[in-house]
Every structure is written in structure tokens, then in C-alpha cells.
Amino acid sequence: MNITLGEMESRFADVIRENEGISSGELVKICAEKFGWKKSTTYTMLRRLCDKGICENKDGHVSALVSKDDIAAMKTDEIIRESFGGSLPRFLAAFAERKKLSESEIDEIQKMIDKFREE
């Protein structure tokens, strides 16, 4: 699954997740307050996210189908693929060169590596 979301699509998906099972009418009200959107804008955005498989609008109730963590993972995969030739080690090296990792961060990363080796 490879889904790309723009900033407003991502923020809209967050509203849906925060209000899981919300009626589409209530979603329109929230988006009018939060984003200044008209009803038609909310429904257009909702249709786009439903078409992408991010959420569903079933019987007038809207719910998320993809978690925020899954979306973040997909975005990271895209960055690694496009900017680092798909190489996770190159990505991590570039990241670590720019940000000094704390001892606890290094320990946490090492624990993840050890866990993956065991699997």
C-alpha cells in the first residue's frame, strides 16, 4: 500500500481519527470551525480520502481505515526510496550525522536491531 497525503488531507484524516465514527454532518461542522471549510469542501476531501482507502463513509458515519502510524511509515518509505535509493542504512546514517543521538536513543535503536535479528 502506497498512499501519499497532502498537508490538509493529513490534517483532515487526523480529525476523522480523533472523532472516530462521527456522522458526516458533524464532520462538516467541525471542519467549518477548524478549517473554515464549506460543506462541499468537506465532502470533496472526504471523497478523496475514501478513494485513497484512508477512511470510509458508511451509512453517514465516517471512520478511519488507516492509522496515523501507518501513514507516517508510508511517508518514511517514500522518502527512503526517493532520496536514499531505498537504503535504510543510508537514511539512518544521514539522519545520525545531522542529529547527535543520545545514549538512550542509541540503546533503543540497538534493542530494535537485536529484536529483528532474533526474528
Side-chain angles (χ1 to χ4, degrees):
M1 183 181 238
N2 187 13
I3 300 170
T4 54
L5 296 180
E7 180 183 343
M8 288 310 296
E9 289 174 323
S10 186
R11 291 177 61 196
F12 182 64
D14 288 344
V15 169
I16 292 169
R17 280 188 214 94
E18 291 164 6
N19 298 278
E20 192 67 38
I22 189 171
S23 72
S24 54
E26 280 299 310
L27 186 60
V28 167
K29 291 177 188 174
I30 290 173
C31 290
E33 292 172 16
K34 191 169 186 114
F35 305 127
W37 289 355
K38 295 179 182 175
K39 179 180 180 178
S40 60
T41 304
T42 300
Y43 281 112
T44 297
M45 186 68 79
L46 179 58
R47 186 175 49 255
R48 282 172 39 190
L49 291 190
C50 287
D51 290 346
K52 290 183 177 191
I54 301 296
C55 63
E56 71 176 354
N57 184 5
K58 194 171 194 177
D59 299 324
H61 288 85
V62 181
S63 53
L65 299 175
V66 180
S67 73
K68 189 170 187 163
D69 286 347
D70 287 341
I71 295 292
M74 285 183 253
K75 285 181 181 181
T76 303
D77 287 345
E78 182 179 359
I79 290 168
I80 291 169
R81 188 176 55 255
E82 291 178 0
S83 300
F84 299 95
S87 171
L88 181 59
R90 281 184 52 209
F91 168 77
L92 291 173
F95 180 82
E97 286 175 5
R98 296 197 181 347
K99 179 189 180 288
K100 175 122 173 79
L101 298 174
S102 70
E103 284 299 318
S104 65
E105 290 171 322
I106 292 169
D107 290 342
E108 189 174 341
I109 292 168
Q110 186 61 56
K111 285 177 188 174
M112 285 189 288
I113 292 169
D114 293 342
K115 179 184 172 201
F116 293 129
R117 278 200 175 123
E118 291 172 4
E119 292 177 355

